[in-house]
Amino acid sequence: MAACAFAFKLLPLVTGRLCCRASCPARSAARSFSRTPARSHRVTGTGALTGKVDRFGGVTVNLADIGLPVDISESSFSRILQEALSQWKAEGKVAVWLRVPISLSRCAAAASTHGFTFHHAKHDHAVLELWLAEGQSRLPGFATHQIGVAGAVVDESNGKVLVVQDRNKTRNAWKFPGGLSDPGENIGATAVREVFEETGVHSEFRSLLSVRQQHEHPGAFGMSDMYIICRLRPLTYDIDFCTQECLRCEWLDLAELAETNDTTPISSRVARLLLHGLERGFDQIDLAMEELPAVYSGKFYQLYHRQLPPTPPST
């Protein structure tokens, strides 16, 4: 949203997974709520409320950190909040983010009487929002997409690709191994990790092949889903697949995967894309990754694009 004054890290809505591999135990997806911290500083509201002001003029208050009595009543918190809101409005603050731990959930009820609404909730806290500036709220919604990543591991010596059949699907179709990306995890790293967790095969990232966008996805709590397929190069070839997640795992001829009915439309399409790459060169299909410095000091981002032709030397 162009008018949005706040930025949030995109978090998958679901990041849990099953894996029987002892060396890759399922990891907890509980991560702390992350906002852009650049140029923030302390500000003190009246009463017991203190918060951080960001560079956009919003105040973030974490009730777990400000020393409220554990037995504070709704009415007492309401009075403290009202005093702080009056001060922040007078100072020209544009919005307030209120992080409420579940142990102080009564404070959320009190905040609602001052116009706060829920923004999102996680395991042990909820975040409420209140727009203080004039006009319609320009605060962004919480993460609306989950990011799924699969790895098409291609053995260029024989034209085979690593595929699995999911145990928990109603139809046993061949597909590329993959799963949901963890917060802060690069796409290529997700593909390599998921391939190993499901199949036992080590691989390395080579390129991005395709992106599928789907809305109202039943596996994403009705939200939107981005499904990304990467091309990987195998480093090992022996299969030791996770029997909790996979029913079968094989090295399958790309030509067979492109034609069989025992696959998904996207897997068949990508198989044909990979066959084209084998015949004409992967530079014809690859979106390679380049890491570039971001405008934020000390940060980098990954840019995926077709490779540019080499620049001829100057004479």
Side-chain angles (χ1 to χ4, degrees), residues 10 82-83 124 134 145 213 218 290:
L10 184 64
Q82 179 59 61
E83 292 174 3
D124 60 354
E134 296 294 329
H145 291 66
Q213 182 180 31
E290 184 178 5

Side-chain angles (χ1 to χ4, degrees), residues 76-201:
S76 296
F77 177 75
S78 181
R79 287 193 298 270
I80 296 171
L81 181 59
Q82 179 59 61
E83 292 174 3
L85 289 173
S86 297
Q87 177 178 321
W88 290 327
K89 286 180 181 179
E91 293 173 349
K93 301 299 183 289
V94 299
V96 179
W97 300 94
L98 194 63
R99 177 168 169 158
V100 183
I102 194 169
S103 60
L104 291 173
S105 57
R106 71 187 77 88
C107 295
S112 70
T113 65
H114 298 281
F116 280 84
T117 57
F118 283 114
H119 183 266
H120 71 277
K122 296 194 74 176
H123 299 284
D124 60 354
H125 70 273
V127 174
L128 282 64
E129 64 179 9
L130 178 64
W131 181 251
L132 295 179
E134 296 294 329
Q136 187 176 4
S137 173
R138 298 196 302 274
L139 298 177
F142 192 51
T144 57
H145 291 66
Q146 69 176 13
I147 307 297
V149 184
V153 187
V154 181
D155 185 347
E156 298 178 41
S157 68
N158 57 19
K160 291 182 180 290
V161 65
L162 188 65
V163 288
V164 298
Q165 289 183 359
D166 283 344
R167 180 169 292 279
N168 59 352
K169 298 294 185 181
T170 55
R171 177 169 173 252
N172 294 328
W174 289 117
K175 60 183 284 290
F176 304 116
L180 295 176
S181 189
D182 286 335
E185 186 177 42
N186 289 339
I187 291 168
T190 300
V192 168
R193 173 179 57 76
E194 285 288 346
V195 165
F196 176 70
E197 289 182 358
E198 290 192 9
T199 72
V201 172

Side-chain angles (χ1 to χ4, degrees), residues 28-102:
S28 169
R31 304 292 175 92
S32 60
F33 172 67
S34 173
R35 293 206 307 118
T36 303
R39 292 194 291 259
S40 64
H41 63 275
R42 273 304 216 201
V43 63
T44 302
T46 55
L49 292 190
T50 59
K52 289 183 179 180
V53 176
D54 57 44
R55 62 193 177 101
F56 303 109
V59 181
T60 297
V61 181
N62 188 343
L63 298 188
D65 292 342
I66 60 176
L68 288 178
V70 294
D71 58 349
I72 189 171
S73 66
E74 287 187 34
S75 58
S76 296
F77 177 75
S78 181
R79 287 193 298 270
I80 296 171
L81 181 59
Q82 179 59 61
E83 292 174 3
L85 289 173
S86 297
Q87 177 178 321
W88 290 327
K89 286 180 181 179
E91 293 173 349
K93 301 299 183 289
V94 299
V96 179
W97 300 94
L98 194 63
R99 177 168 169 158
V100 183
I102 194 169

